[in-house]
Amino acid sequence: MKNPIEALNKIFDSRIRLGVMSILIVNDSISFNELKQLLELTDGNLASHLNTLEQAGYLKVQKSFIGKKTNTTYIITELGRHAFKAHLDALEKMIKGI
């Protein structure tokens, strides 16, 4: 019998990264401040998790200026979309198998 957790993506073990990806999968893009408010996180905590997702190639960062302030926006990549859907499918199969 195959190990049911083998197909799960370790990057999504964190509830914060799971939350970020859940938000990004249903939005075209979202700003750092919106993510911070939605997930109720500190700047440093969110930045750390976003960096992990960016390093994995699961999201893309766009920086722009609104007036004199920087605006950082995040967009899910095709790789990220595929990896997250595969993770959700593996969770569903695991739950149905129990």
Side-chain angles (χ1 to χ4, degrees), residues 48-60:
S48 171
H49 289 284
L50 289 170
N51 186 51
T52 298
L53 291 168
E54 182 184 8
Q55 293 300 316
Y58 293 166
L59 56 83
K60 190 168 43 170

Side-chain angles (χ1 to χ4, degrees), residues 47-92:
S48 171
H49 289 284
L50 289 170
N51 186 51
T52 298
L53 291 168
E54 182 184 8
Q55 293 300 316
Y58 293 166
L59 56 83
K60 190 168 43 170
V61 181
Q62 291 184 332
K63 294 191 182 256
S64 62
F65 285 92
I66 298 177
K68 292 184 179 184
K69 287 189 169 190
T70 58
N71 182 45
T72 306
T73 304
Y74 298 89
I75 300 165
I76 194 169
T77 64
E78 199 54 45
L79 176 64
R81 185 175 306 280
H82 175 73
F84 191 63
K85 285 184 177 181
H87 181 75
L88 294 178
D89 288 345
L91 278 174
E92 187 176 352

Side-chain angles (χ1 to χ4, degrees), residues 1-93:
M1 181 175 174
K2 188 177 177 184
N3 183 345
I5 64 170
E6 199 171 272
L8 298 178
N9 187 325
K10 186 120 177 94
I11 288 180
F12 304 130
D13 279 356
S14 163
R15 66 179 182 84
I16 294 169
R17 291 191 290 269
L18 191 66
V20 168
M21 293 301 286
S22 296
I23 291 167
L24 285 173
I25 202 105
V26 296
N27 291 283
D28 291 334
S29 66
I30 193 155
S31 73
F32 182 88
N33 287 332
E34 290 171 311
L35 278 172
K36 187 172 88 167
Q37 282 182 314
L38 286 169
L39 298 171
E40 299 178 351
L41 299 169
T42 63
D43 287 2
N45 195 358
L46 178 57
S48 171
H49 289 284
L50 289 170
N51 186 51
T52 298
L53 291 168
E54 182 184 8
Q55 293 300 316
Y58 293 166
L59 56 83
K60 190 168 43 170
V61 181
Q62 291 184 332
K63 294 191 182 256
S64 62
F65 285 92
I66 298 177
K68 292 184 179 184
K69 287 189 169 190
T70 58
N71 182 45
T72 306
T73 304
Y74 298 89
I75 300 165
I76 194 169
T77 64
E78 199 54 45
L79 176 64
R81 185 175 306 280
H82 175 73
F84 191 63
K85 285 184 177 181
H87 181 75
L88 294 178
D89 288 345
L91 278 174
E92 187 176 352
K93 284 178 186 171

